[in-house]
Amino acid sequence: MLAWSGISSRRRRRSMKAFIGISTTIMLYVASGRLVREAFPSLSADHCSDNLLGRRLLAGSCPHEPIDAVYTWVNGSDPEFRRQLSETLVHLGHPPANESVNDSRFADNDELRYSLRSLEQHAPWVRRVYLVTNGQVPAWLDLDDPRITVVTHEEIFPNKSHLPTFSSPAIESHLHRIKGLSEHFLYFNDDFFLGQPVVLEDFVSPRGEYLTYLWPSRGGAFNQSSAHSRSLAHVDRLFTQRYGPEERRAAAHRIGERRYRTRDGPRNAWSYVQVPSLPQKATRKLMEVLAKPRRFICLNNDFSDSTAGRIKWVRDMMRFLLETLFPWSSQFELTSPTYGHA
């Protein structure tokens, strides 16, 4: 998922920072607020040099205010993480084998490394990056880089009794509490990549319209038996009770509430790939992405029912795709012999 935030700085102390989100299918969603150019205070020209590249950008690619990026990340193979998850499930009365929390949901396939490469390559106008974790840190991450800050759940959850949490929506609802975060920001899941250069107008128009990237039709997302589909249908019912019936289109993980001025982004701007564990099908889908990279790319794996050998094959194919699209190491990677720059 990717996200964007809109609320005037004059209202900042009275309302949480809003964020725009392009979910893993991809969708733009707004927590609160409305973005218009007149709402931003005038900034000195120096802000055009305060970016990931640390140098002044061309006027056309320089946003009219500082924009940060926020990532949420977890390493599900970490023994301590798995222990906490198991204890939490037992405490809540759920079996550890629940479909919504299987290994593939939290597996770390090194996507974050390549997503950061894509951000530096295609959105260098971003000011800095915040990485929100439960305390874990990728082994390859350069913590001394001034453009990235690791933020733990403990730093943004005022009620510590809510921790540990394994709920993405719960974590996302606290992102506005990140200290030093820009008034408006992009929010990424680690399986989200930029395949082409993007500018601020890919997220919000000069007239203050949020661009939403949704499936062209409602489809079967509401009608499946998975926990995700049931959650979509439940939110749809709540929206209908509050705002009346409407043919709402689905993103992979969210339903869009259309109370703000929005405009549909072009369908050919994004690729959402539910990567299967069958090697032949996975290879075909991944090669389609490689042949024509879209502006926004999401690779969401579906390894819930497969063998270890097949999963390894598909993960190797995903790594090949990402290494081909983003071969150059970013400033966020260590330059040790183990994690040398490409």
Side-chain angles (χ1 to χ4, degrees), residues 134-206:
N134 65 352
Q136 301 169 313
V137 178
W140 48 265
L141 188 68
D142 184 0
L143 294 177
D144 292 327
D145 188 277
R147 293 288 174 178
I148 193 165
T149 300
V150 175
V151 180
T152 66
H153 296 167
E154 295 227 353
E155 294 178 66
I156 59 176
F157 274 74
N159 190 333
K160 302 302 185 286
S161 69
H162 294 166
L163 299 175
T165 182
F166 308 92
S167 167
S168 298
I171 297 168
E172 291 163 4
S173 69
H174 287 74
L175 295 181
H176 67 285
R177 301 181 185 276
I178 296 175
K179 186 177 180 180
L181 181 63
S182 59
E183 185 72 19
H184 307 91
F185 59 97
L186 301 177
Y187 167 51
F188 289 79
N189 287 156
D190 63 354
D191 59 0
F192 194 92
F193 312 90
L194 301 176
Q196 298 178 12
V198 297
V199 294
L200 189 61
E201 285 71 20
D202 288 313
F203 306 101
V204 60
S205 76

Side-chain angles (χ1 to χ4, degrees), residues 49-117:
S49 300
D50 191 8
N51 53 58
L52 296 184
L53 299 183
R55 62 174 183 264
R56 190 170 180 81
L57 300 174
L58 297 175
S61 59
C62 178
H64 48 270
E65 63 158 335
I67 304 295
D68 293 332
V70 177
Y71 282 86
T72 51
W73 176 82
V74 66
N75 179 7
S77 61
D78 176 39
E80 177 61 18
F81 170 85
R82 298 175 72 89
R83 182 191 67 79
Q84 291 182 353
L85 176 60
S86 180
E87 289 182 356
T88 301
L89 287 170
V90 171
H91 177 72
L92 296 175
H94 298 298
N98 188 288
E99 182 271 335
S100 65
V101 292
N102 60 40
D103 289 349
S104 67
R105 177 171 174 80
F106 296 106
D108 178 29
N109 300 312
D110 228 9
E111 292 98 339
L112 177 63
R113 178 201 297 264
Y114 295 101
S115 185
L116 285 169
R117 291 184 182 185

Side-chain angles (χ1 to χ4, degrees), residues 85 89 94-106 224-231 253 274 300-305:
L85 176 60
L89 287 170
H94 298 298
N98 188 288
E99 182 271 335
S100 65
V101 292
N102 60 40
D103 289 349
S104 67
R105 177 171 174 80
F106 296 106
Q224 301 172 13
S225 60
S226 68
H228 172 59
S229 293
R230 292 195 299 273
S231 71
H253 296 303
Q274 189 76 21
N300 195 236
N301 67 58
D302 182 17
F303 299 159
S304 57
D305 184 21

Side-chain angles (χ1 to χ4, degrees), residues 290-305:
L290 182 60
K292 191 175 181 180
R294 302 286 180 88
R295 200 174 311 160
F296 306 112
I297 302 170
C298 178
L299 301 179
N300 195 236
N301 67 58
D302 182 17
F303 299 159
S304 57
D305 184 21

